[in-house]
Amino acid sequence: MVSFVQKLDDSSKPHKIIGVAIIKNDSGQILIDRRRLEGVMGGLWEFPGGKVEPNETVSECIKREIQEELGIEIEVGKHLVTINHTYTHLRVTLTVHECRYLSGIPQPLECDEVRWVSVGELETFTFPEANLQIIEVLRKG
């Protein structure tokens, strides 16, 4: 008996476009948050952001998501990098923008923890695979 294994191409996986914020404070530290344990990729650290909704720009998405998830105000700045990555269960396009922290106290409203860290400290946290490319861009300055 011969068996065939058909590899589904990446287009068969759900695709999410994600707006990602690299939020820096006046000391140059970057805000990261830890995903809730019960969710997808639970317990991993990430740069805050979320899914772009229909009829929403990436900048609008980032500003909205940061307000909803962390309760702070930011200014969305220049585009830093766009990363396309395929996980076993989905494809993501991360559109990453530098952002400036304006006001409010970051709170873990939709995550387990938030932390201000230096670029050098990022490697001590476990991030989803797609975020590793963002860290590399940040290291290079």
Side-chain angles (χ1 to χ4, degrees), residues 9-103:
D9 66 38
D10 290 344
S11 65
S12 67
K13 297 176 182 177
H15 181 225
K16 290 185 179 180
I17 298 172
I18 310 289
V20 178
I22 302 300
I23 304 167
K24 292 187 178 179
N25 63 17
D26 291 338
S27 302
Q29 293 175 306
I30 296 169
L31 191 64
I32 61 173
D33 66 71
R34 190 162 51 87
R35 299 172 72 99
R36 289 192 171 145
L37 285 174
E38 63 274 7
V40 175
M41 294 186 254
L44 298 180
W45 289 86
E46 66 181 357
F47 300 102
K51 191 171 76 124
V52 177
E53 299 294 339
N55 302 314
E56 184 177 52
T57 67
V58 172
S59 292
E60 290 168 342
C61 163
I62 291 171
K63 196 168 176 65
R64 174 185 55 76
E65 287 282 352
I66 299 311
Q67 178 60 50
E68 290 173 2
E69 293 180 5
L70 304 172
I72 61 172
E73 293 297 321
I74 61 164
E75 177 181 73
V76 179
K78 74 174 187 165
H79 174 259
L80 186 64
V81 65
T82 297
I83 295 165
N84 290 297
H85 187 81
T86 303
Y87 290 102
T88 56
H89 59 292
L90 95 143
R91 295 179 303 132
V92 293
T93 298
L94 305 179
T95 304
V96 185
H97 282 258
E98 291 182 339
C99 299
R100 190 166 68 91
Y101 168 70
L102 296 176
S103 65

Side-chain angles (χ1 to χ4, degrees), residues 118-127 135 139:
S118 69
V119 171
E121 292 173 299
L122 289 171
E123 63 192 35
T124 64
F125 297 88
T126 306
F127 284 83
I135 294 170
R139 271 198 208 115

